[in-house]
């Protein structure tokens, strides 16, 4: 079989490596943009509690339902320019809450679920995938067959069943998405470790009498983790899209809950009368996802020597 | 190992996968809730306790020796069949083709799960197949163009499409397409394209009275051709445009990206240089020498693609009110219709596992170095 591309990476000193990466980052403007966008969203998520009162999502203001008073855009549909004294830059939603404020509150919710899912999937992947590849035999077979089961069914369906049975809450949602996500990481780590463990240095560690688990988790896994990190970065966007899709089809803990998919859900009935309701939460999702995808692509471009030109 | 031995091994593994999956789904729907919850959707308030108990017995949840419904609800010892017993009963029924009755609202009480599922499944199949065709027809050329025009305008455009494709929330993209093509672009006094349902009769370019077709295969488009009904065929195709494109947008992005990077890898290899230095035209080098090898990574992920499309239809069908099984599955999950969910998950799994098997066999055909 072909050799694993990442294993051919040229080894640099740590300082030189970082300098080189920064140099490539500066040259590659698309990647720089991705890094800026994703860092900006993370910052916004961290500051959201200061920008908007975190409990304001539970309030209701029936006087300003579905109103729009930002003169910058004229929707040619309803155009209620009189929403009382307050200016709502992105209009208001079904409950009379400012859509901009709700989006700001929703960003940390989505990002946090995505970080939890991806981090847990990486941990499970490293442990199970590492063990499967390193021990081989029966352990490998059992772990592979279990991943087979989960890979044979569309994840979104399992997630729907779990959410309905266990109740619609954020922890269940996180667990439901995780259940559909971890097998990919087990497969990925396994294939990386399989390539890495045949290298001479592993044999040397064995000869030195190092214990197997130490070799696996201190040497082999750190040397084969790189593609996993790239995949994890790319998956932040994908997990957010999955979570918001589940919320969008109604598997939400509370109809008012500030989550981007849930905010967009309100808009589907008012597609033709209040398009901002679905437009802006969707755009936010798009930008978050683009940011992390660019960042992931960029990390791969920078560290994959085959793509250097 | 010979190729057919490999195929047989994989088919045996499929049986194991299906068994594991059915066990898992059964546990999710029956094992995690108290027994009376699991059957609660099958009980109507008008039933008396004897009728309720007989429902619980017929579902295999209550034992024959259970004295009364209240004893069943109180989970008296000896009243509730252990989970493995319930599963064994279910499995026996399923293997003999008895998938039970369905609880779906709007379906007559005597309609079997099997019949309901397979009367709606063709719509989903049609959507998924259309999505797969769009993915291949658009994704592969975009990737090739991107690689052959590296860092020029076509490459930039195709990279933006690809990045946007796999970053866009599908439900949102579908809604935006509806706003644009149903509301803003008008034709003949109606929106250009229909925004919902599988048969369009109220849009700018549809026939308002497509007539009827005879059902041969269940697939509306195929049946329309077989019935020689052109208006019906046209209306079905028109209705498919927006949902299929929404479904395919993510996979188009993914395939374009994979195709681009594998094509660039192949174009850098020595045999391509040789082909070029022989004086062959660029077209010949790209389409006869490079494309076949560059397709390999794309073929590998097409198994994942099948899983992706079959999962994605759930969202798309809800956004476009498509009358397929994905739309029904959400309703089935909400009323905990175990029979429907099991059948849906298992049929989907069979399709995905078989696709993966076919993909692996094609892979062995395309790359003679692969030996199983």
């Amino acid at each position: 079989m072909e050799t694993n591309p990442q294993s051919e990476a040229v080894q640099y000193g740590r300082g030189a490596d970082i300098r080189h990466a920064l140099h490539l980052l500066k040259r590659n403007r698309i990647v720089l943009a991705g890094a800026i966008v994703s860092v900006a969203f993370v910052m916004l998520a961290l500051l959201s509690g200061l920008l908007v009162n975190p409990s304001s999502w539970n309030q209701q203001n029936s006087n300003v339902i579905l109103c729009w008073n930002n003169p910058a855009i004229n929707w040619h549909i309803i155009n209620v320019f009189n929403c009382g004294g307050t200016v709502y830059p992105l209009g208001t939603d079904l409950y009379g809450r400012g859509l901009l404020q709700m989006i700001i509150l929703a960003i940390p919710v989505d990002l946090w679920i995505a970080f939890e899912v991806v981090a847990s999937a990486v941990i499970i992947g490293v442990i199970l995938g590492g063990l499967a590849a390193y021990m081989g035999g029966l352990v490998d077979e059992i772990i592979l067959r279990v991943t087979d089961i989960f890979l044979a069914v569309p994840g979104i369906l399992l997630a729907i069943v779990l959410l309905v049975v266990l109740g619609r809450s954020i922890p269940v949602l996180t667990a439901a998405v995780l259940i559909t996500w971890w097998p990919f990481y087990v497969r990925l780590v396994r294939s990386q470790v399989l390539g890495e463990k045949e290298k001479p240095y592993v044999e040397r560690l064995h000869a030195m009498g190092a214990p197997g688990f130490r070799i696996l988790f201190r040497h082999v896994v750190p040397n084969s983790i790189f593609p996993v990190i790239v995949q994890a970065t790319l998956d932040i966007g994908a997990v957010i899209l999955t979570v918001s899709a589940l919320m969008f089809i109604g598997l939400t803990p509370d109809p008012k809950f500030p989550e981007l998919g849930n905010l967009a859900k309100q808009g589907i009935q008012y597609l033709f009368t209040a398009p901002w309701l679905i437009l802006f939460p969707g755009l936010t999702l798009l930008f978050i996802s683009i940011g992390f995808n660019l960042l992931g692509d960029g990390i791969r471009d920078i560290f994959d020597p085959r793509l250097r030109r | 190992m010979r190729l057919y031995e490999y195929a047989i091994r994989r088919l045996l593994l499929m049986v194991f996968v299906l068994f594991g999956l059915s066990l898992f789904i059964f546990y999710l729907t029956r094992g995690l809730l108290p027994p009376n919850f699991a059957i609660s959707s099958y009980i109507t308030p008008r039933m008396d306790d004897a009728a309720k108990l007989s429902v619980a017995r017929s579902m295999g949840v209550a034992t024959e020796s259970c004295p009364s419904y209240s004893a069943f609800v109180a989970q008296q010892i000896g009243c509730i069949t252990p989970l493995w017993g319930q599963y064994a009963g279910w499995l026996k029924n399923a293997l003999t083709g008895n998938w039970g009755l369905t609880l779906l609202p709007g379906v007559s009480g005597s309609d079997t799960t099997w019949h309901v599922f397979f009367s709606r499944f063709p719509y989903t199949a049609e959507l998924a197949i259309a999505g797969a065709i769009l993915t291949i027809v658009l994704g592969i050329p975009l990737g090739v163009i991107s690689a052959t025009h590296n860092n020029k305008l076509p490459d930039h455009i195709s990279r933006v499409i690809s990045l946007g494709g796999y970053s866009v929330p599908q439900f949102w993209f579908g809604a935006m397409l509806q706003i644009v093509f149903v509301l803003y672009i008008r034709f003949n006094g109606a929106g250009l394209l229909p925004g919902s349902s599988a048969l369009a009769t109220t849009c700018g370019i549809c026939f308002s009275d497509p007539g009827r077709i005879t059902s041969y295969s269940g697939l509306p488009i195929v049946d329309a051709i077989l019935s020689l009904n052109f208006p019906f065929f046209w209306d079905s195709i028109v209705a498919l445009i927006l949902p299929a494109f929404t479904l395919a947008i993510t996979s188009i992005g993914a395939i374009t990206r994979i195709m681009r990077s594998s094509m660039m890898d192949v174009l850098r290899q020595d045999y391509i240089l040789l082909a070029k230095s022989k004086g062959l035209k660029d077209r010949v080098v790209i389409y006869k020498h490079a494309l076949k090898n560059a397709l390999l990574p794309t073929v590998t992920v097409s198994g994942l693609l099948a899983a992706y499309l079959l999962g994605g239809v759930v969202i798309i069908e809800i956004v476009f009110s498509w009358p397929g099984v994905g739309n029904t599955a959400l309703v089935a999950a909400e009323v905990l219709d175990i029979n429907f969910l099991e059948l849906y998950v298992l049929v989907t799994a069979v399709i995905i596992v078989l696709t993966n098997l076919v993909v692996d066999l094609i892979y062995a055909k395309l790359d003679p170095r692969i030996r199983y």
Side-chain angles (χ1 to χ4, degrees):
Chain A
M1 289 301 290
E2 62 180 313
T3 53
N4 149 34
Q6 272 76 25
S7 65
E8 297 166 0
V10 184
Q11 300 292 317
Y12 294 98
R14 186 159 287 172
D17 217 358
I18 293 170
R19 270 201 302 280
H20 186 61
L22 283 178
H23 168 69
L24 288 169
L25 191 65
K26 260 187 256 170
R27 227 181 43 179
N28 195 337
R29 275 170 296 170
I30 302 174
V31 178
L32 194 62
I36 290 172
V37 171
S38 29
V39 169
F41 272 113
V42 172
M43 294 298 285
L44 188 57
L46 292 175
L47 295 175
S48 76
L50 300 174
L51 296 172
V52 179
N53 174 11
S55 59
S56 63
W57 65 271
N58 219 352
Q59 290 157 6
Q60 198 159 339
N61 185 354
S62 47
N63 297 326
V64 287
I65 286 171
L66 296 181
C67 93
W68 178 269
N69 63 358
N70 184 347
I73 311 177
N74 184 342
W75 296 97
H76 296 289
I77 302 170
I78 294 186
N79 289 317
V80 187
F81 282 102
N82 185 10
C83 311
T86 339
V87 173
Y88 297 100
L90 298 184
T92 62
D93 66 2
L94 270 180
Y95 305 98
R97 310 171 296 180
L99 189 59
L100 178 66
Q101 284 83 343
M102 288 309 109
I103 289 177
I104 291 176
L105 278 187
I107 290 169
V109 174
D110 280 278
L111 278 180
W112 180 243
I113 296 176
F115 281 127
E116 274 184 328
V117 168
V118 171
S120 321
V122 168
I123 292 170
I124 296 174
V126 163
I127 294 173
L128 291 184
L131 285 179
Y134 201 74
M135 295 175 74
L138 190 63
V139 177
D140 190 22
E141 194 68 20
I142 291 173
I143 292 177
L144 272 186
R145 294 292 82 83
V146 175
T147 59
D148 271 353
I149 292 176
F150 286 94
L151 290 176
V153 63
I156 199 140
L157 192 71
L158 278 188
I160 291 174
V161 175
L162 268 169
L163 277 163
V164 169
V165 172
L166 293 179
R168 299 163 189 206
S169 67
I170 296 303
V172 173
L173 182 75
T174 313
V177 179
L178 176 62
I179 278 189
T180 68
W181 227 275
W182 65 271
F184 294 101
Y185 281 88
V186 172
R187 290 290 179 93
L188 181 61
V189 174
R190 179 179 172 275
S191 67
Q192 293 300 319
V193 170
L194 275 181
E196 189 73 17
K197 75 166 189 175
E198 300 303 332
K199 291 194 174 167
Y201 79 90
V202 179
E203 200 178 329
R204 180 173 160 236
L205 287 167
H206 270 298
M208 285 165 66
F213 281 89
R214 195 186 156 83
I215 298 177
L216 174 59
F217 290 114
R218 289 294 296 274
H219 299 280
V220 175
V221 165
N223 276 330
S224 45
I225 199 78
F226 185 70
V228 181
I229 306 267
V230 171
Q231 191 57 43
T233 317
L234 294 173
D235 272 353
I236 295 274
V239 170
I240 289 183
L241 293 187
T242 307
V243 167
S244 58
L246 284 169
M247 291 273 198
F248 182 80
I249 60 175
L251 298 164
T252 157
D254 183 327
K256 283 181 176 178
F257 191 74
E259 193 281 339
L260 292 167
N262 196 26
L263 293 175
K265 178 185 161 49
Q266 301 176 21
I268 193 81
Q269 302 149 32
Y270 301 95
L271 212 53
F272 303 138
T273 49
W276 59 88
L277 257 184
I278 190 163
L279 183 67
F280 294 111
L283 275 181
T284 315
L285 281 168
L286 177 64
F287 284 131
I288 294 178
S289 186
I290 285 183
F292 281 96
N293 278 326
L294 282 178
L295 187 65
D297 281 350
I299 297 176
R300 177 161 42 204
D301 283 358
I302 286 172
F303 289 99
D304 189 344
R306 287 183 313 161
L307 298 174
R308 285 188 190 150
R309 281 176 296 276
Chain B
M1 216 190 303
R2 294 272 177 73
L3 204 56
Y4 73 87
E5 288 174 25
Y6 175 77
I8 290 171
R9 188 182 119 90
R10 288 284 299 267
L11 286 175
L12 288 177
L13 280 179
M14 179 175 92
V15 175
F16 169 80
V17 165
L18 294 181
F19 178 74
L21 249 186
S22 68
L23 208 57
F24 184 64
I25 298 291
F26 198 85
Y27 175 72
L28 281 185
T29 46
R30 292 247 187 126
L32 288 176
L33 292 173
N36 53 320
F37 270 90
I39 65 157
S40 62
S41 330
Y42 294 80
I43 287 174
T44 56
R46 283 191 192 169
M47 289 179 173
D48 57 1
D49 278 5
K52 287 178 185 173
L53 186 63
S54 78
V55 168
R57 278 189 184 140
S58 71
M59 300 248 329
V61 183
T63 56
E64 289 302 320
S65 58
C66 195
S68 69
Y69 184 69
S70 53
F72 168 72
V73 173
Q75 303 191 26
Q76 257 180 32
I77 296 168
C79 229
I80 289 164
T81 319
L83 203 57
W84 62 264
Q86 293 181 30
Y87 179 75
W90 173 86
L91 188 64
K92 203 179 122 209
N93 278 334
L95 289 178
T96 51
N98 175 9
W99 290 79
L101 300 177
T102 176
L103 295 172
L104 293 166
V107 173
S108 95
S110 57
D111 218 348
T112 61
T113 306
W114 184 270
H115 177 251
V116 171
F117 182 86
F118 282 101
S119 64
R120 298 184 184 192
F121 182 70
Y123 291 95
T124 299
E126 204 176 79
L127 186 53
I129 292 170
I133 292 174
L134 275 181
T135 305
I136 293 165
V137 169
L138 294 177
I140 291 177
L142 271 178
V144 171
I145 291 168
S146 193
T148 52
H149 296 75
N150 191 9
N151 276 332
K152 296 200 188 76
L153 186 66
D155 183 28
H156 294 313
I157 294 173
S158 131
R159 285 174 80 174
V160 167
I161 295 176
S162 158
L163 176 71
Y166 58 75
S167 303
V168 75
Q170 280 183 323
F171 62 83
W172 180 78
F173 186 68
M176 291 302 117
L177 287 182
Q178 284 182 349
I179 291 184
V180 171
F181 287 100
V182 181
L183 189 69
Y184 283 111
I185 302 183
R186 313 289 290 183
F187 187 79
N188 265 354
L192 182 69
L193 294 172
S196 66
S197 191
L199 183 67
T201 51
T202 52
C203 75
I205 53 171
C206 312
F207 292 93
S208 56
D209 183 19
R212 302 187 66 82
I213 52 163
T214 326
S215 177
Y216 298 103
S217 63
L219 293 162
I221 292 181
V222 176
D223 287 346
I225 297 175
L226 292 177
S227 315
L228 300 174
N229 183 342
F230 177 75
F232 199 102
F233 170 76
W234 175 254
D235 283 4
S236 306
I237 293 274
V238 166
L240 202 54
I241 296 175
L242 292 185
F245 194 65
T246 311
L247 176 63
I249 186 73
T250 309
S251 44
I252 290 174
I255 292 287
T256 304
R257 176 157 85 155
I258 293 164
M259 201 60 217
R260 174 177 185 269
S261 77
S262 69
M263 194 72 184
M264 274 167 50
D265 272 357
V266 170
L267 286 179
R268 248 181 256 132
Q269 284 178 14
D270 291 343
Y271 81 96
I272 296 296
L273 195 63
L274 175 71
K276 278 185 184 161
S277 54
K278 281 197 297 188
L280 294 179
K281 285 191 184 113
D282 273 0
R283 274 188 80 83
V284 179
V285 175
I286 290 164
Y287 291 102
K288 288 210 80 161
H289 292 70
L291 187 61
K292 192 178 163 194
N293 282 342
L295 272 175
L296 284 177
T298 312
V299 172
T300 351
V301 295
S302 43
L304 280 178
L305 181 72
Y308 188 84
L309 290 175
L310 283 172
V313 290
V314 179
I315 308 291
I316 309 298
E317 286 184 4
I318 290 166
V319 173
F320 286 94
S321 330
W322 194 258
V325 284
N327 204 338
T328 318
L330 182 67
V331 184
E334 273 164 359
V335 297
L336 268 189
D337 185 341
I338 299 161
N339 297 334
F340 189 89
L341 289 177
E342 283 271 4
L343 185 59
Y344 179 43
V345 169
L346 292 179
V347 170
T348 314
V350 168
I351 296 171
I352 291 172
V353 174
L354 284 181
T355 316
N356 275 318
L357 176 61
V358 171
V359 163
D360 284 356
L361 298 181
I362 293 176
Y363 200 70
K365 256 287 177 273
L366 281 179
D367 187 349
R369 290 170 303 176
I370 305 279
R371 288 276 171 272
Y372 292 109

